[in-house]
Short mmCIF file of all heavy atoms in Angstrom, two decimals:
data_model
loop_
_atom_site.label_atom_id
_atom_site.label_comp_id
_atom_site.label_asym_id
_atom_site.label_seq_id
_atom_site.Cartn_x
_atom_site.Cartn_y
_atom_site.Cartn_z
N GLU A 176 8.60 10.82 -2.82
CA GLU A 176 7.72 9.86 -2.14
C GLU A 176 6.25 10.20 -2.35
O GLU A 176 5.40 9.30 -2.42
CB GLU A 176 8.04 9.81 -0.65
CG GLU A 176 9.40 9.19 -0.33
CD GLU A 176 9.52 7.76 -0.83
OE1 GLU A 176 8.50 7.03 -0.86
OE2 GLU A 176 10.64 7.36 -1.21
N ILE A 177 5.93 11.49 -2.45
CA ILE A 177 4.55 11.89 -2.72
C ILE A 177 4.14 11.42 -4.12
O ILE A 177 3.03 10.91 -4.32
CB ILE A 177 4.39 13.42 -2.61
CG1 ILE A 177 4.51 13.85 -1.13
CG2 ILE A 177 3.05 13.88 -3.18
CD1 ILE A 177 4.55 15.34 -0.92
N LEU A 178 5.06 11.54 -5.08
CA LEU A 178 4.80 11.01 -6.42
C LEU A 178 4.60 9.50 -6.38
O LEU A 178 3.75 8.96 -7.10
CB LEU A 178 5.96 11.37 -7.36
CG LEU A 178 5.99 12.77 -7.95
CD1 LEU A 178 7.21 12.94 -8.84
CD2 LEU A 178 4.72 13.06 -8.74
N THR A 179 5.39 8.84 -5.54
CA THR A 179 5.24 7.39 -5.38
C THR A 179 3.85 7.05 -4.87
O THR A 179 3.22 6.09 -5.33
CB THR A 179 6.30 6.84 -4.40
OG1 THR A 179 7.61 7.10 -4.92
CG2 THR A 179 6.13 5.34 -4.20
N CYS A 180 3.37 7.83 -3.93
CA CYS A 180 2.02 7.62 -3.37
C CYS A 180 0.95 7.81 -4.44
O CYS A 180 -0.03 7.05 -4.49
CB CYS A 180 1.76 8.56 -2.20
SG CYS A 180 2.77 8.20 -0.74
N VAL A 181 1.13 8.82 -5.28
CA VAL A 181 0.17 9.06 -6.37
C VAL A 181 0.18 7.87 -7.34
O VAL A 181 -0.88 7.36 -7.73
CB VAL A 181 0.52 10.36 -7.12
CG1 VAL A 181 -0.37 10.51 -8.37
CG2 VAL A 181 0.36 11.56 -6.21
N ARG A 182 1.38 7.43 -7.70
CA ARG A 182 1.51 6.30 -8.63
C ARG A 182 0.90 5.03 -8.04
O ARG A 182 0.17 4.29 -8.72
CB ARG A 182 2.98 6.07 -8.97
CG ARG A 182 3.23 4.86 -9.87
CD ARG A 182 4.69 4.78 -10.29
NE ARG A 182 5.59 4.76 -9.17
CZ ARG A 182 5.87 3.67 -8.44
NH1 ARG A 182 5.27 2.52 -8.73
NH2 ARG A 182 6.72 3.74 -7.44
N LEU A 183 1.17 4.77 -6.78
CA LEU A 183 0.63 3.58 -6.13
C LEU A 183 -0.88 3.65 -5.99
O LEU A 183 -1.57 2.63 -6.07
CB LEU A 183 1.28 3.39 -4.75
CG LEU A 183 2.75 2.96 -4.76
CD1 LEU A 183 3.34 3.05 -3.36
CD2 LEU A 183 2.90 1.54 -5.31
N SER A 184 -1.41 4.85 -5.78
CA SER A 184 -2.86 5.02 -5.70
C SER A 184 -3.51 4.66 -7.03
O SER A 184 -4.56 4.00 -7.08
CB SER A 184 -3.21 6.46 -5.32
OG SER A 184 -2.72 6.77 -4.03
N LEU A 185 -2.89 5.09 -8.12
CA LEU A 185 -3.38 4.73 -9.46
C LEU A 185 -3.31 3.22 -9.66
O LEU A 185 -4.26 2.60 -10.18
CB LEU A 185 -2.55 5.45 -10.53
CG LEU A 185 -2.72 6.96 -10.62
CD1 LEU A 185 -1.65 7.56 -11.52
CD2 LEU A 185 -4.11 7.32 -11.15
N ASP A 186 -2.21 2.63 -9.24
CA ASP A 186 -2.05 1.18 -9.37
C ASP A 186 -3.08 0.43 -8.52
O ASP A 186 -3.58 -0.64 -8.92
CB ASP A 186 -0.64 0.75 -8.95
CG ASP A 186 0.42 1.15 -9.96
OD1 ASP A 186 0.05 1.41 -11.13
OD2 ASP A 186 1.60 1.22 -9.59
N PHE A 187 -3.39 0.98 -7.35
CA PHE A 187 -4.37 0.33 -6.48
C PHE A 187 -5.76 0.34 -7.11
O PHE A 187 -6.48 -0.66 -7.06
CB PHE A 187 -4.40 1.04 -5.12
CG PHE A 187 -5.32 0.39 -4.12
CD1 PHE A 187 -5.01 -0.84 -3.57
CD2 PHE A 187 -6.51 1.01 -3.75
CE1 PHE A 187 -5.86 -1.44 -2.65
CE2 PHE A 187 -7.36 0.42 -2.83
CZ PHE A 187 -7.05 -0.82 -2.28
N VAL A 188 -6.13 1.47 -7.72
CA VAL A 188 -7.41 1.55 -8.42
C VAL A 188 -7.46 0.50 -9.53
O VAL A 188 -8.46 -0.20 -9.70
CB VAL A 188 -7.61 2.96 -9.01
CG1 VAL A 188 -8.86 3.01 -9.90
CG2 VAL A 188 -7.75 3.99 -7.90
N HIS A 189 -6.37 0.40 -10.26
CA HIS A 189 -6.27 -0.57 -11.36
C HIS A 189 -6.34 -2.00 -10.82
O HIS A 189 -7.08 -2.84 -11.35
CB HIS A 189 -4.95 -0.34 -12.10
CG HIS A 189 -4.73 -1.28 -13.24
ND1 HIS A 189 -3.50 -1.45 -13.83
CD2 HIS A 189 -5.56 -2.14 -13.89
CE1 HIS A 189 -3.59 -2.34 -14.80
NE2 HIS A 189 -4.84 -2.78 -14.85
N ALA A 190 -5.58 -2.28 -9.78
CA ALA A 190 -5.51 -3.65 -9.24
C ALA A 190 -6.86 -4.13 -8.70
O ALA A 190 -7.27 -5.27 -8.95
CB ALA A 190 -4.45 -3.72 -8.15
N VAL A 191 -7.55 -3.26 -7.97
CA VAL A 191 -8.87 -3.63 -7.42
C VAL A 191 -9.84 -3.97 -8.54
O VAL A 191 -10.66 -4.88 -8.42
CB VAL A 191 -9.43 -2.49 -6.54
CG1 VAL A 191 -10.90 -2.75 -6.19
CG2 VAL A 191 -8.61 -2.34 -5.27
N ASN A 192 -9.71 -3.26 -9.66
CA ASN A 192 -10.61 -3.51 -10.79
C ASN A 192 -10.45 -4.92 -11.38
O ASN A 192 -11.35 -5.43 -12.03
CB ASN A 192 -10.37 -2.46 -11.88
CG ASN A 192 -11.37 -2.58 -13.02
OD1 ASN A 192 -12.57 -2.36 -12.82
ND2 ASN A 192 -10.90 -2.93 -14.20
N THR A 193 -9.28 -5.54 -11.15
CA THR A 193 -9.03 -6.88 -11.70
C THR A 193 -9.67 -7.98 -10.85
O THR A 193 -9.71 -9.14 -11.27
CB THR A 193 -7.52 -7.17 -11.81
OG1 THR A 193 -6.94 -7.20 -10.49
CG2 THR A 193 -6.82 -6.10 -12.65
N LEU A 194 -10.15 -7.63 -9.65
CA LEU A 194 -10.79 -8.62 -8.79
C LEU A 194 -12.20 -8.96 -9.30
O LEU A 194 -12.79 -8.18 -10.05
CB LEU A 194 -10.88 -8.09 -7.36
CG LEU A 194 -9.56 -7.87 -6.62
CD1 LEU A 194 -9.82 -7.16 -5.31
CD2 LEU A 194 -8.85 -9.19 -6.39
N PRO A 195 -12.75 -10.11 -8.91
CA PRO A 195 -14.12 -10.46 -9.30
C PRO A 195 -15.12 -9.43 -8.77
O PRO A 195 -14.86 -8.73 -7.80
CB PRO A 195 -14.34 -11.83 -8.63
CG PRO A 195 -12.96 -12.37 -8.42
CD PRO A 195 -12.09 -11.19 -8.14
N LYS A 196 -16.26 -9.34 -9.41
CA LYS A 196 -17.29 -8.38 -9.02
C LYS A 196 -17.71 -8.57 -7.57
O LYS A 196 -17.75 -9.69 -7.07
CB LYS A 196 -18.51 -8.53 -9.92
CG LYS A 196 -18.29 -8.08 -11.35
CD LYS A 196 -19.55 -8.22 -12.16
CE LYS A 196 -19.33 -7.74 -13.60
NZ LYS A 196 -20.57 -7.87 -14.41
#
Side-chain angles (χ1 to χ4, degrees):
E176 291 301 328
I177 290 172
L178 280 179
T179 299
C180 292
V181 172
R182 177 174 55 80
L183 289 170
S184 297
L185 291 169
D186 288 340
F187 183 70
V188 173
H189 180 196
V191 169
N192 186 65
T193 65
L194 294 172
K196 290 182 179 180

